[in-house]
Structure formats: structure tokens, C-alpha cells
Amino acid sequence: MFVDRAKIYIRSGKGGNGAVTFRRDPYVPNGGPDGGDGGKGGSIVFKADRNLRTLLDFKYKKKYQAEDGQNGMSRNKFGKDGQDLIIKVPCGTLVIDEGSGKIMKDLVVDGDSFVAAKGGKGGRGNVRFKSSIRQAPNFAEAGGEARERTVILELKLLADVGLVGFPNVGKSSLLKEATKADPKIANYHFTTIDPNLGVVSIYGDSFVMADIAGIIEGASEGAGMGLKFLKHIERTKVLIHVVDVSGSEGRDPKEDFDKINRELSAYSDSVAKKPQIVAANKIDELPLMAEDPGYLEFKEYVNAKGYDCYPMAAPLGEGVRELLSAALIKLREAEKEPVQEPDPMDYFDFEADSRDPDWNKITCGYDEEAGVYTLEGHQLTKIFNSTNFFDMGSLRYLYKYIEKNGAIDELKEMGLQEGDVIRINDYEMEFWDE
């Protein structure tokens, strides 16, 4: 089964907590703190692998989580780092952040990789907080939070030459005749519901050819399965436009030719500018074959627009070699040209994501059902998890952080009074003004 789109949930590993421990060796009075740091959490890494051809694996497994970092230990022992989780995808896969809709990475070349969710930092042990005025810190730092997000994986085939055209014009027949591929072939529309790939070998050279499933009028606006099909054309270097020149479907070949090109232009400027060869297929169904007036009129029409036209009867193998030779020449010419600028894409801003302007923001609220005031925030949660509630210095640091960020004043404006309850995470405490 060919799967070219999938949505998965990813979560990096949480950082390990720092340890709160003290030396307890015999004959060593006042041994002091010796709590080690926690290990960092594992990251989620996407990597392109040329041995994969489909996103089928992601149809059945939807959640991926990296290993958490180990907590710190006594005697200054660091916790073990969490192992990164490497997710392999086919070459040509776009990784898109669902929340923003922006592209995180376009993995084209085998071995390309990037970190999609960075693991949390390990928390510092209490030995890190020792100072001349704090000889026995009874608190440590909590590990950094895990990063989680939902991403969309979208595969765009990597092929040198793409076959385009209306349904049932003979693209699959051409692919079968030109390569060792064995696509489904039948005399009805949309026999091909997924793109097929094959390798063309000719004159001691070779190239990859893709049969892009039939495009219809309105495909660029999503008609039929237009967008699903059109995206696979983007990475091809040369297009072979297959047209039923016999008119066996009751359509005008010239109109078919123009309609498909309009759809390509509407979808993408870069796709419309790709080198294109026209294959006038089903020539065997014309009374005079390549000398038929209808074919000659079509050829003249196509030539006038700047395209080469080749007569062909794909199932019989007639004209196929000449067409492939022309495609090979076009391909090698295209490879010598400067790389065509792709259509602009909106990329995910990793730097802004790592800064997270809301990291220090504290959100104040009131739970009417429970009758308690609430505080929430990323940095608040980290400091809260690092707090030793049996140590006044540690509690004072938590309160000062909340007060410094204006949360106490905001709660007072909401009606907070002495004796009222404030809830942070699952912990509730009474408020008493100093």
C-alpha cells in the first residue's frame, strides 16, 4: 500500500531532576551537599532513508516518544542522558508542524536529518547551589520539560521524469512498456489511484519515471484527488504530457492538452515551467496512423506552443523508444541548467520556538467550581517542581518569582484575599500577605 501522508504525535524526553543528597561518610562531619545533576532527555530526530518508499508505517503507529533523562544521584553522580529517538522517513518527505502549518524540514537527500523536538535539560543537583552563605542547600532543580507536538508527514516522490495527463490516456501503459514496473491497467478512469515508479534503461543510461495518477479539470483547486496527485510532480525535472490523440473518450486532444497545462500553472509556477514533451498516444486507433490529418493538426498546434510532439502506441511499443530518447536528452539538459527556484514556502522558526516568549508568563485564573485561584506557566511549573516545601529558602524563592512576575497583584485585582486558596498544578496553599 502506498501512503503519502500521515499525522503523528511526537514527544521528546523530560530532563532528569537534580538530586538533593548530603555526604554521610563516617569520620567526615558536615560532609555537605553531593547531589548530582539529572541527565538530559532524548530528542526526536527525523532522518531521510533511501530504502523507504512509503509512509505506511505511520498509518499504524501514531505516537513516538523519546527516553526521559535519569534523575541525579548521590556522590555527585550524574543521571544518564535519555536516548534520542530517530524516526526514519522516505527521501522526499516534508515534515510540517500541525499547530502553525509551517514546514519544519524538507528531507530530500539520503541521510538528511533534523531535531523536531529537543529533549529537556537535566536539572542541577543541590551541590550546584552551594555558596559561602548557603552551605547546605536543601533543594535542587527539576529537569526541563519535554517538548511535544503533532506533525504532518507528506511524501513527494523523487523522480526524474513525470507522466501527466487526463485519466485513461495511457500513462500506466507507457510506464509498463518503458520500465519493469507492473502498474494496474484497465479501460476505465482512475485505474491508477497511487503514483507508480519505474526505472527506464536506455543507451546505457537510466532515469526514474513516475506515473502520476490522472489529473482532471479543477485538480489545482482540489477537484477529485487533484492535490494528492499534483504534489508528486513538484520534484520531477521533466514532464511527459500524455494525450489521447485518437479522441476515444469523445474529447478534443487540443483542449485536453490546454486544460492539463492550465491546471499545472494554477498549481505552481515552478511546475508549469518544467521542460515538457508531448506524447500523442493511441496513434494506432487512427485510420492513417502518424499521417492522420487529426494527428498532424494536433502536432502543429503543440509545436506552435513550443513543445516537441511524438506519436506513440504505448501497449504496442510503437514510438516509445523515440519518446524516451527525447526525454533522456531533455533530462540531461535540465540537469545542466541552474537549479530552478521552488515556489516560496513558509518555514518553521526553530529559533523563535526555542525562545518561547511565553516561557516566563504566568496565567492567573479562578476555578469557580472549586472556589480557588489558579496559576499556570512553563517556568513556574519548573520552579514549582524544584521547590522543597520543607525548606523556607526554597519556598521564599518560589513566592518571590510569582510576585516578581506580577501574578500576586493580578490575583488581588481578581479578588484574592488573605485565607483564600491558590492552586499551582495539583498543590493548594492558603494565601497570607507578608
Side-chain angles (χ1 to χ4, degrees), residues 365-368 370-375 399 407-424 427-434:
Y366 182 72
D367 186 339
E368 293 185 4
V372 299
Y373 292 88
T374 61
L375 295 176
Y399 180 80
I408 298 298
D409 291 338
E410 188 174 340
L411 288 178
K412 286 180 177 178
E413 290 179 6
M414 294 171 65
L416 178 70
Q417 298 179 359
E418 288 194 357
D420 287 342
V421 175
I422 298 176
R423 184 172 66 204
I424 304 175
Y427 186 87
E428 295 182 353
M429 52 191 173
E430 291 187 9
F431 171 72
W432 298 99
D433 216 348
E434 292 183 340

Side-chain angles (χ1 to χ4, degrees), residues 144 159 182 239 341 387 408 418:
D182 189 24
L239 299 179
E341 287 295 325
T387 301
I408 298 298
E418 288 194 357

